[in-house]
Amino acid sequence: MSSTSLKKLQVAIVGGGVCGLTCAVALQRAGVPVQLFEAASAFGEIGAGIGLGPNAVRTLEALGVLDALLKRIKPEVPNSRNFAFYFGQGNHEHIYTYETTPEDNSLFIHRAVFLDALVSVLDPSIAHFNKRCISVAESSAGSNGKPLTIRFQDGTSYEADVVLGADGVKSNVREFVACGEGRRLQFSNTVAYRGLINYAELRAAGFKTDLSERPVCFVGPSKHFILFNIKNAEVINVVAFSARYDIPFGPQKEGTPWVEKVSKDVLHEEYEGWGPDVAALLSVMPEEPSRWSIHVVDPPLESYAKGRVALLGDAAHAMLPHLGAGAGQGLEDAYVLARLLSHPDTHAGNVEAVLAAYSTIRQPRAQMVWEQTRLMGRVYDFHGPSGTTAEGIRKDVTGMYGPVWHHDMESDLAKAVGALHTSGAFPSCSVA
């Protein structure tokens, strides 16, 4: 084997959101040379609260970044929270409480806090801003002898051995991996109204359902609410969904903004006739809540890798948010990529096989979660397989989180390394 193939790979990550930053930190800590390119002028997350399920919390711990996050949210710690479901109309009859085990530790935090924690442990010298990727291309002989070239909107470029696309739902790196078939981006016919409200103010408005201990879902016809507390239960993160099920996924009407401010009156019209707690909630929502048009990757990618380029997070499998699992799947992607790329037997001569092994492991799991979260939204919105009664909803919800939360990442990693061993990409003595 040539000395060139044994040199450390230069990895470039496109996108500095939660997934890209997590992967960069993991690679940096493993001694893999990495550079991170972010389109914005600084790191920053749009959105409000984010839920991290037990699988995501375990992944952060395995990556060594959980402690940095916990320092930012003291005195909050991961804990096991049941999830309560109520009818959104009438008197809010209790439907079901999804019971968790003591090991099912989750976190509900503000996205900006999560991002700040990751930034605090990132070497700032590897971050480059105002670098919006417009294309990735193979190059036979770049000026630095690297096989890939990333081109940016500002006219600059960067050459790397490996490119990881963490550039979100609108990913341009996805076009390279999808072999010119476009970005496979579809509007899900679902919008989400988001806002943060003070819990004391909400209770003062007459809201009765307890939000101090557990997340709550109010279900109803083609609409539902997800509510959970953050900042030591002082603030409630509100997401109100409205969907259409009479038309298939497809492109959104041209010119429609993905995120826009709307009048609170729009919410009152959407949820007219819902129960008293919903009315109280709407009364204290921000005067101009944000409305998000939810887009997904559909049809799914057959592979998350092509050659020396791989996708992770929403760039690979943007999904509906109804299981609160999108971020967790991106973190799992980052974990597997970081472990495989930092493996002592990974080098320039076999890195394509390594990325293919990553895809083989991650694509089926992430797509399973993609399908489950779509089904869960249908259940919340009275379009589930077992109907709209409390009994039917209980039947459909029971066990839904188990396959998402209780997954053995180390087993996945062992399978990937085993496949590389079997194929001959790794020598016979390899260990994960």
Side-chain angles (χ1 to χ4, degrees):
M1 186 178 298
S2 70
S3 60
T4 300
S5 65
L6 288 172
K7 289 180 180 178
K8 286 188 175 181
L9 295 166
Q10 179 63 58
V11 178
I13 298 176
V14 177
V18 164
C19 293
L21 266 171
T22 300
C23 194
V25 169
L27 289 172
Q28 169 194 296
R29 290 186 166 187
V32 177
V34 59
Q35 299 292 314
L36 179 64
F37 298 91
E38 165 57 29
S41 60
F43 292 122
E45 274 283 353
I46 56 175
I50 183 172
L52 301 173
N55 60 309
V57 172
R58 289 193 302 272
T59 302
L60 288 173
E61 186 173 20
L63 287 167
V65 298
L66 182 59
D67 286 346
L69 178 57
L70 295 181
K71 288 178 183 177
R72 298 271 169 161
I73 61 173
K74 285 182 178 180
E76 291 188 56
V77 295
N79 58 67
S80 179
R81 300 190 191 187
N82 300 330
F83 204 132
F85 297 87
Y86 299 87
F87 285 110
Q89 298 173 318
N91 292 319
H92 304 304
E93 175 192 348
H94 176 255
I95 299 170
Y96 178 67
T97 295
Y98 195 106
E99 299 290 343
T100 57
T101 69
E103 291 75 36
D104 291 335
N105 290 320
S106 300
L107 276 173
F108 295 88
I109 56 176
H110 198 286
R111 285 180 177 269
V113 174
F114 191 4
L115 203 73
D116 287 346
L118 293 170
V119 171
S120 73
V121 292
L122 181 78
D123 176 358
S125 69
I126 72 170
H128 310 272
F129 299 103
N130 297 306
K131 296 294 181 183
R132 183 174 298 279
C133 168
I134 57 174
S135 69
V136 177
E138 294 174 326
S139 51
S140 57
S143 60
N144 293 320
K146 303 297 184 184
L148 295 169
T149 300
I150 310 168
R151 301 197 182 280
F152 301 104
Q153 195 173 53
D154 64 1
T156 62
S157 62
Y158 183 80
E159 295 173 4
D161 294 302
V162 173
V163 173
L164 304 180
D167 48 340
V169 64
K170 297 181 182 180
S171 172
N172 282 324
V173 181
R174 188 188 305 129
E175 292 197 39
F176 178 92
V177 174
C179 302
E181 296 181 12
R183 292 191 289 178
R184 300 201 187 188
L185 199 56
Q186 304 278 11
F187 176 48
S188 67
N189 305 313
T190 300
V191 297
Y193 301 91
R194 301 177 185 269
L196 297 173
I197 56 177
N198 181 275
Y199 191 17
E201 184 179 351
L202 178 60
R203 289 195 298 263
F207 190 93
K208 303 298 185 186
T209 304
D210 182 24
L211 301 176
S212 62
E213 299 293 333
R214 67 195 63 178
V216 163
C217 178
F218 288 117
V219 305
S222 297
K223 299 176 175 68
H224 70 275
F225 286 78
I226 299 290
L227 312 173
F228 59 84
N229 71 65
I230 59 176
K231 296 185 176 180
N232 301 315
E234 295 175 4
V235 174
I236 303 300
N237 184 78
V238 180
V239 191
F241 293 96
S242 179
R244 289 189 61 180
Y245 293 92
D246 58 333
I247 52 177
F249 290 179
Q252 196 170 18
K253 182 179 178 182
E254 189 171 349
T256 303
W258 283 37
V259 182
E260 61 181 328
K261 294 287 187 181
V262 298
S263 167
K264 189 162 66 172
D265 293 339
V266 173
L267 282 174
H268 286 288
E269 292 172 8
E270 282 271 26
Y271 302 96
E272 183 179 2
W274 282 49
D277 272 6
V278 172
L281 175 68
L282 298 181
S283 73
V284 296
M285 281 287 284
E287 288 302 315
E288 291 188 324
S290 58
R291 179 169 61 193
W292 297 57
S293 295
I294 309 298
H295 289 72
V296 298
V297 173
D298 186 58
L301 294 170
E302 294 79 10
S303 174
Y304 296 163
K306 176 189 174 186
R308 292 167 172 247
V309 180
L311 302 172
L312 65 158
D314 283 350
H317 44 67
M319 61 186 68
L320 286 161
H322 304 312
L323 278 171
Q329 287 309 292
L331 295 176
E332 289 184 9
D333 293 341
Y335 176 75
V336 175
L337 276 169
R339 288 290 300 274
L340 289 177
L341 287 173
S342 63
H343 193 284
D345 289 323
T346 295
H347 52 73
N350 64 12
V351 71
E352 291 190 20
V354 168
L355 295 180
Y358 154 77
S359 177
T360 298
I361 289 295
R362 289 298 306 151
Q363 196 277 347
R365 169 153 169 80
Q367 190 58 32
M368 178 277 292
V369 177
W370 193 103
E371 299 290 351
Q372 289 289 86
T373 194
R374 184 180 187 182
L375 174 59
M376 190 65 109
R378 296 184 69 89
V379 172
Y380 296 163
D381 290 354
F382 287 4
H383 290 268
S386 301
T388 64
T389 65
E391 181 180 1
I393 294 170
R394 280 195 296 270
K395 179 180 178 182
D396 289 340
V397 169
T398 300
M400 187 73 80
Y401 286 96
V404 179
W405 288 354
H406 305 140
H407 185 74
D408 187 350
M409 293 298 298
E410 293 305 316
S411 175
D412 278 357
L413 189 64
K415 289 176 183 176
V417 172
L420 290 165
H421 160 76
T422 301
S423 69
F426 279 2
S428 59
C429 59
S430 291
V431 293

